[in-house]
Amino acid sequence: MAHYLSAAALVASAALTAAAPAAKGDFSIDQVSKGSFYKSGPLAMAKTYSKYAKHGAVMPENVSIAATAASTGSVSASPESYDESYLIPVSIGGTTFHLDLDTGSSDLWVFSTQQPASQRSGHTAYKQTGTKKSGYTWNISYGDGSGAKGDVYVDKVVVGGVTATSQAVEAATSVSSSFTSDTDNDGLIGAAFSSINTVSPQQQLTFFDNVKNSLSQKLFAARLRYHTAGTYDYGYIDSSKYSGSIHYVPVNTANGFWEFTASGVSGSSIADTGTTLLYIPDSNVDAYYANVDSASYDSSQGGYTFDCDESLPDWTVTIGSGSITVPGEYINFAPVSGNTCFGGIQSSDGIGFNIFGDIFLKATYTVFDQTQSSPRLGFAQG
Ligand SMILES: O=C(c1ccc(-c2ccco2)nc1O)N(Cc1ccccn1)C1CC1
């Protein structure tokens, strides 16, 4: 496959400008670079090979690949009501879908015209613009009891200006009722590890896995926000979106999740943009709500509730060498009835691991980083 340098990459060149002679009769030339400069050695080498191609110079493939322009991008992440989930615009075969970017799963699936019209009413539905992967199917079940299934196409997918030319697009033939009723949401774009993609007979790559080699840096970063739009950045870190430093911790990929260890929170934890709340062990939950006078566990609601007017304490956690504070305000998730509100911190007992979902992530700038030999997570205060 031929690797082509972008025109921009080849435009960069140094121009020499002669300076005025020092004095009548004397003559000197100051060589001044006219502002352009090579950002990388490979780019400089590629330019030289291109310059001398007419003399027979042949550019080695490794130089061409290394010099190929690397991309970055950023996309808005808009909250649904009560920050239930955050949706991003994604172009698939030229149609824009609003998808839930989910670092807790690894399937990119969309509503499709293959579903009964009643099941997809109010949603943007995929009309098979791509090439069908004959015989391929998918079927996923989520921890909240929801699920979806269907067949598979290959199509062009663009997120924040970053393009995957041949992305597996999983078209639904059936989805569970909670997806049908959430008419803002046209599907999910998974960003956990491709090892848990559900496509059969051959697993498919996530969007990030498909584009990461073309990014300036193999990473994406989540800046979800409280009751307002945030962003996902691809290929770069935006230092204007956090304070202090980013503190990194190793990730265990054995279960396919962005799994890490948080101090003072027993068991494994995962960073999951697709989960609304913050799920931690009973002992941590009980300790937190002990400071909320009106709080109690309400089995009918399935979690801790409290008076909506009560001011809540912040929650601070140490992760690696850094600490993150979630403002108490963020932990008042939503009213459940009258003036009773549901807590954003709930128990992870029974799940099998802790889930650092949106209640936590919206207080941070979180970097999902594959720039090193093994993946890592970076957390900074948002
Ligand atoms: O909903 C999921 C979830 C996501 C993907 C998959 C899966 C199976 C096969 C491929 O992906 N299975 C899940 O269950 N949560 C959040 C969760 C789990 C349990 C209770 C509540 N919330 C995964 C990220 C942790």
Side-chain angles (χ1 to χ4, degrees):
M1 170 183 148
H3 294 279
Y4 295 94
L5 280 176
S6 73
L10 288 178
V11 163
S13 66
L16 303 183
T17 309
K24 194 170 174 50
D26 294 348
F27 188 78
S28 71
I29 291 182
D30 295 327
Q31 291 197 351
V32 178
S33 163
K34 192 166 179 255
S36 302
F37 56 93
Y38 293 118
K39 290 186 179 152
S40 74
L43 211 48
M45 286 181 70
K47 172 77 178 151
T48 302
Y49 276 109
S50 299
K51 185 174 177 182
Y52 293 100
K54 56 182 174 288
H55 301 295
V58 176
M59 188 183 305
E61 188 173 8
N62 62 334
V63 171
S64 162
I65 292 169
T68 300
S71 72
T72 63
S74 188
V75 68
S76 60
S78 301
E80 291 193 298
S81 169
Y82 299 111
D83 298 351
E84 180 96 39
S85 67
Y86 293 80
L87 303 177
I88 67 168
V90 176
S91 171
I92 304 175
T95 301
T96 299
F97 295 77
H98 293 91
L99 305 183
D100 179 357
L101 193 153
D102 178 15
T103 61
S105 66
S106 305
D107 286 48
L108 192 170
W109 71 261
V110 284
F111 279 78
S112 94
T113 52
Q114 297 176 103
Q115 294 168 258
S118 58
Q119 200 185 90
R120 57 182 163 88
S121 171
H123 293 270
T124 301
Y126 182 67
K127 294 184 181 65
Q128 289 88 36
T129 48
T131 309
K132 183 175 170 63
K133 289 184 77 72
S134 180
Y136 282 60
T137 57
W138 60 281
N139 190 330
I140 193 164
S141 302
Y142 299 104
D144 62 0
S146 64
K149 64 182 178 181
D151 52 18
V152 185
Y153 298 78
V154 176
D155 212 335
K156 176 179 173 182
V157 173
V158 186
V159 178
V162 176
T163 298
T165 49
S166 300
Q167 173 67 42
V169 175
E170 303 173 30
T173 53
S174 182
V175 305
S176 60
S177 58
S178 63
F179 286 117
T180 294
S181 56
D182 181 359
T183 50
D184 295 331
N185 180 343
D186 301 320
L188 267 70
I189 176 168
F193 293 88
S194 298
S195 59
I196 59 170
N197 174 267
T198 72
V199 172
S200 174
Q202 187 178 22
Q203 270 186 328
Q204 301 298 302
L205 296 179
T206 63
F207 173 80
F208 177 65
D209 272 351
N210 274 324
V211 303
K212 68 186 178 185
N213 291 335
S214 70
L215 296 174
S216 297
Q217 296 178 84
K218 291 184 182 63
L219 60 83
F220 64 95
R223 180 66 185 107
L224 303 181
R225 298 188 64 194
Y226 175 72
H227 294 180
T228 192
T231 55
Y232 289 102
D233 298 328
Y234 281 91
Y236 75 107
I237 283 171
D238 185 339
S239 57
S240 74
K241 293 177 179 169
Y242 62 89
S243 59
S245 312
I246 300 174
H247 296 275
Y248 291 92
V249 289
V251 161
N252 170 6
T253 63
N255 298 312
F257 299 126
W258 291 91
E259 193 172 334
F260 65 100
T261 300
S263 307
V265 175
S266 63
S268 235
S269 298
I270 71 162
D272 183 10
T273 57
T275 288
T276 309
L277 305 184
L278 169 56
Y279 296 92
I280 53 179
D282 272 351
S283 54
N284 300 81
V285 178
D286 295 344
Y288 175 78
Y289 289 112
N291 295 304
V292 180
D293 294 342
S294 63
S296 65
Y297 183 84
D298 179 345
S299 53
S300 72
Q301 295 292 344
Y304 271 89
T305 61
F306 43 78
D307 188 306
C308 294
D309 301 330
E310 187 157 5
S311 70
L312 298 169
D314 299 347
W315 185 77
T316 298
V317 61
T318 298
I319 303 175
S321 53
S323 97
I324 298 290
T325 294
V326 179
E329 184 184 24
Y330 293 14
I331 300 168
N332 182 339
F333 169 57
V336 284
S337 68
N339 203 37
T340 300
C341 278
F342 196 77
I345 290 177
Q346 298 295 345
S347 174
S348 63
D349 286 25
I351 293 178
F353 38 78
N354 308 308
I355 305 179
F356 282 53
D358 301 334
I359 292 287
F360 170 80
L361 294 170
K362 72 181 84 167
T364 75
Y365 188 73
T366 294
V367 185
F368 298 81
D369 184 317
Q370 292 196 28
T371 63
Q372 316 287 300
S373 52
S374 63
R376 61 181 186 165
L377 275 167
F379 295 103
Q381 190 75 40

Tab-separated table of all heavy atoms in Angstrom, residues 102-107 139-144 196-198 257 270 272 275 279 351 353 355, ligand 1:
chain	number	residue	atom	x	y	z
A	102	ASP	N	-18.758	5.444	25.266
A	102	ASP	CA	-18.790	4.570	26.444
A	102	ASP	C	-17.462	3.852	26.648
A	102	ASP	O	-17.163	2.875	25.956
A	102	ASP	CB	-19.919	3.540	26.261
A	102	ASP	CG	-20.010	2.557	27.418
A	102	ASP	OD1	-19.408	2.836	28.475
A	102	ASP	OD2	-20.667	1.514	27.258
A	103	THR	N	-16.660	4.342	27.619
A	103	THR	CA	-15.366	3.697	27.884
A	103	THR	C	-15.544	2.389	28.659
A	103	THR	O	-14.552	1.755	29.040
A	103	THR	CB	-14.416	4.628	28.672
A	103	THR	OG1	-15.016	4.942	29.934
A	103	THR	CG2	-14.139	5.895	27.885
A	104	GLY	N	-16.806	1.971	28.872
A	104	GLY	CA	-17.085	0.699	29.543
A	104	GLY	C	-17.500	-0.407	28.600
A	104	GLY	O	-17.807	-1.512	29.040
A	105	SER	N	-17.538	-0.126	27.303
A	105	SER	CA	-17.870	-1.176	26.331
A	105	SER	C	-17.113	-0.907	25.034
A	105	SER	O	-16.451	0.125	24.900
A	105	SER	CB	-19.386	-1.200	26.065
A	105	SER	OG	-19.795	-0.003	25.410
A	106	SER	N	-17.240	-1.844	24.074
A	106	SER	CA	-16.352	-1.783	22.901
A	106	SER	C	-17.063	-2.060	21.589
A	106	SER	O	-16.439	-2.523	20.629
A	106	SER	CB	-15.200	-2.779	23.110
A	106	SER	OG	-14.547	-2.504	24.348
A	107	ASP	N	-18.373	-1.795	21.552
A	107	ASP	CA	-19.144	-1.943	20.321
A	107	ASP	C	-19.612	-0.560	19.872
A	107	ASP	O	-20.085	0.223	20.719
A	107	ASP	CB	-20.376	-2.835	20.544
A	107	ASP	CG	-20.005	-4.312	20.664
A	107	ASP	OD1	-19.069	-4.634	21.427
A	107	ASP	OD2	-20.648	-5.138	19.978
A	139	ASN	N	-24.209	-8.884	19.703
A	139	ASN	CA	-25.247	-8.985	20.729
A	139	ASN	C	-24.618	-8.574	22.049
A	139	ASN	O	-23.648	-9.187	22.478
A	139	ASN	CB	-25.759	-10.434	20.824
A	139	ASN	CG	-26.997	-10.535	21.709
A	139	ASN	OD1	-27.144	-9.749	22.646
A	139	ASN	ND2	-27.870	-11.479	21.397
A	140	ILE	N	-25.095	-7.494	22.660
A	140	ILE	CA	-24.453	-7.002	23.887
A	140	ILE	C	-25.470	-6.820	25.004
A	140	ILE	O	-26.617	-6.425	24.734
A	140	ILE	CB	-23.680	-5.681	23.618
A	140	ILE	CG1	-22.762	-5.325	24.792
A	140	ILE	CG2	-24.633	-4.525	23.297
A	140	ILE	CD1	-21.720	-4.277	24.446
A	141	SER	N	-25.066	-7.141	26.234
A	141	SER	CA	-25.915	-6.927	27.411
A	141	SER	C	-25.164	-6.021	28.366
A	141	SER	O	-23.977	-6.261	28.649
A	141	SER	CB	-26.212	-8.256	28.107
A	141	SER	OG	-26.840	-9.138	27.207
A	142	TYR	N	-25.808	-4.997	28.860
A	142	TYR	CA	-25.167	-4.058	29.765
A	142	TYR	C	-25.569	-4.327	31.206
A	142	TYR	O	-26.577	-4.988	31.469
A	142	TYR	CB	-25.519	-2.622	29.346
A	142	TYR	CG	-25.047	-2.281	27.951
A	142	TYR	CD1	-25.944	-2.232	26.889
A	142	TYR	CD2	-23.702	-2.029	27.690
A	142	TYR	CE1	-25.521	-1.934	25.603
A	142	TYR	CE2	-23.274	-1.731	26.401
A	142	TYR	CZ	-24.175	-1.679	25.367
A	142	TYR	OH	-23.752	-1.402	24.088
A	143	GLY	N	-24.790	-3.788	32.117
A	143	GLY	CA	-24.975	-4.065	33.534
A	143	GLY	C	-26.288	-3.558	34.095
A	143	GLY	O	-26.753	-4.040	35.118
A	144	ASP	N	-26.907	-2.601	33.395
A	144	ASP	CA	-28.198	-2.079	33.899
A	144	ASP	C	-29.375	-2.891	33.362
A	144	ASP	O	-30.530	-2.498	33.491
A	144	ASP	CB	-28.343	-0.597	33.514
A	144	ASP	CG	-28.345	-0.416	31.991
A	144	ASP	OD1	-28.226	-1.428	31.261
A	144	ASP	OD2	-28.466	0.740	31.534
A	196	ILE	N	-13.165	-6.996	24.184
A	196	ILE	CA	-14.533	-7.349	24.605
A	196	ILE	C	-15.587	-6.908	23.575
A	196	ILE	O	-16.786	-6.852	23.891
A	196	ILE	CB	-14.878	-6.797	26.007
A	196	ILE	CG1	-14.765	-5.282	26.067
A	196	ILE	CG2	-13.998	-7.453	27.067
A	196	ILE	CD1	-15.343	-4.681	27.364
A	197	ASN	N	-15.151	-6.621	22.354
A	197	ASN	CA	-16.139	-6.367	21.289
A	197	ASN	C	-16.944	-7.641	21.064
A	197	ASN	O	-16.407	-8.753	21.106
A	197	ASN	CB	-15.409	-5.941	20.015
A	197	ASN	CG	-16.340	-5.811	18.832
A	197	ASN	OD1	-16.520	-6.763	18.067
A	197	ASN	ND2	-16.974	-4.650	18.703
A	198	THR	N	-18.266	-7.493	20.826
A	198	THR	CA	-19.125	-8.697	20.792
A	198	THR	C	-19.377	-9.220	19.389
A	198	THR	O	-20.157	-10.161	19.212
A	198	THR	CB	-20.491	-8.414	21.445
A	198	THR	OG1	-21.268	-7.575	20.575
A	198	THR	CG2	-20.357	-7.778	22.814
A	257	PHE	N	-11.539	-3.642	30.298
A	257	PHE	CA	-11.942	-2.315	30.769
A	257	PHE	C	-10.717	-1.454	31.083
A	257	PHE	O	-9.611	-1.966	31.224
A	257	PHE	CB	-12.787	-2.449	32.045
A	257	PHE	CG	-14.060	-3.236	31.872
A	257	PHE	CD1	-14.338	-4.318	32.693
A	257	PHE	CD2	-14.984	-2.903	30.884
A	257	PHE	CE1	-15.517	-5.050	32.542
A	257	PHE	CE2	-16.157	-3.632	30.726
A	257	PHE	CZ	-16.414	-4.709	31.549
A	270	ILE	N	-13.150	0.781	37.616
A	270	ILE	CA	-13.038	1.075	36.188
A	270	ILE	C	-13.519	2.488	35.911
A	270	ILE	O	-14.426	2.993	36.585
A	270	ILE	CB	-13.810	0.072	35.311
A	270	ILE	CG1	-15.307	0.249	35.452
A	270	ILE	CG2	-13.419	-1.358	35.576
A	270	ILE	CD1	-16.055	-0.387	34.323
A	272	ASP	N	-15.547	4.636	33.581
A	272	ASP	CA	-16.620	4.295	32.655
A	272	ASP	C	-17.506	5.495	32.346
A	272	ASP	O	-18.424	5.813	33.111
A	272	ASP	CB	-17.461	3.154	33.239
A	272	ASP	CG	-18.554	2.712	32.280
A	272	ASP	OD1	-18.533	3.163	31.110
A	272	ASP	OD2	-19.425	1.931	32.683
A	275	THR	N	-21.376	4.973	32.363
A	275	THR	CA	-22.150	4.739	33.590
A	275	THR	C	-22.381	6.088	34.269
A	275	THR	O	-21.429	6.859	34.401
A	275	THR	CB	-21.401	3.775	34.532
A	275	THR	OG1	-21.443	2.456	33.969
A	275	THR	CG2	-22.046	3.730	35.914
A	279	TYR	N	-20.019	4.201	41.731
A	279	TYR	CA	-20.314	3.007	42.524
A	279	TYR	C	-19.062	2.563	43.267
A	279	TYR	O	-18.069	2.192	42.634
A	279	TYR	CB	-20.809	1.875	41.630
A	279	TYR	CG	-22.121	2.166	40.932
A	279	TYR	CD1	-22.154	2.726	39.663
A	279	TYR	CD2	-23.341	1.898	41.553
A	279	TYR	CE1	-23.351	3.011	39.022
A	279	TYR	CE2	-24.551	2.183	40.910
A	279	TYR	CZ	-24.545	2.741	39.649
A	279	TYR	OH	-25.746	3.015	39.015
A	351	ILE	N	-21.676	-5.794	42.081
A	351	ILE	CA	-21.267	-5.587	40.682
A	351	ILE	C	-19.999	-6.392	40.387
A	351	ILE	O	-19.852	-6.972	39.323
A	351	ILE	CB	-21.016	-4.085	40.405
A	351	ILE	CG1	-22.333	-3.298	40.485
A	351	ILE	CG2	-20.371	-3.900	39.040
A	351	ILE	CD1	-22.164	-1.804	40.267
A	353	PHE	N	-16.905	-4.933	40.761
A	353	PHE	CA	-15.828	-3.945	40.738
A	353	PHE	C	-16.471	-2.582	40.972
A	353	PHE	O	-17.696	-2.441	40.893
A	353	PHE	CB	-15.072	-3.956	39.390
A	353	PHE	CG	-15.953	-4.166	38.206
A	353	PHE	CD1	-16.712	-3.118	37.706
A	353	PHE	CD2	-16.083	-5.428	37.614
A	353	PHE	CE1	-17.566	-3.313	36.628
A	353	PHE	CE2	-16.931	-5.626	36.529
A	353	PHE	CZ	-17.667	-4.574	36.037
A	355	ILE	N	-17.212	1.320	39.962
A	355	ILE	CA	-17.354	2.022	38.682
A	355	ILE	C	-17.277	3.518	38.904
A	355	ILE	O	-18.144	4.102	39.559
A	355	ILE	CB	-18.673	1.669	37.977
A	355	ILE	CG1	-18.804	0.150	37.809
A	355	ILE	CG2	-18.723	2.351	36.603
A	355	ILE	CD1	-20.097	-0.278	37.152
B	1	LIG	O1	-22.851	-2.010	31.605
B	1	LIG	C1	-21.701	-2.368	31.626
B	1	LIG	C2	-21.158	-3.266	30.613
B	1	LIG	C3	-20.522	-2.831	29.487
B	1	LIG	C4	-20.076	-3.743	28.573
B	1	LIG	C5	-20.291	-5.081	28.802
B	1	LIG	C6	-19.863	-6.039	27.819
B	1	LIG	C7	-20.090	-7.377	27.817
B	1	LIG	C8	-19.486	-7.854	26.667
B	1	LIG	C9	-18.910	-6.759	26.041
B	1	LIG	O2	-19.128	-5.653	26.753
B	1	LIG	N1	-20.921	-5.543	29.910
B	1	LIG	C10	-21.329	-4.653	30.818
B	1	LIG	O3	-21.949	-5.025	31.960
B	1	LIG	N2	-20.857	-1.959	32.598
B	1	LIG	C11	-21.316	-1.066	33.624
B	1	LIG	C12	-22.078	-1.804	34.682
B	1	LIG	C13	-21.826	-3.130	34.939
B	1	LIG	C14	-22.574	-3.738	35.944
B	1	LIG	C15	-23.529	-3.004	36.614
B	1	LIG	C16	-23.728	-1.704	36.262
B	1	LIG	N3	-23.014	-1.123	35.317
B	1	LIG	C17	-19.475	-2.412	32.596
B	1	LIG	C18	-18.525	-1.334	32.341
B	1	LIG	C19	-18.609	-2.092	33.663
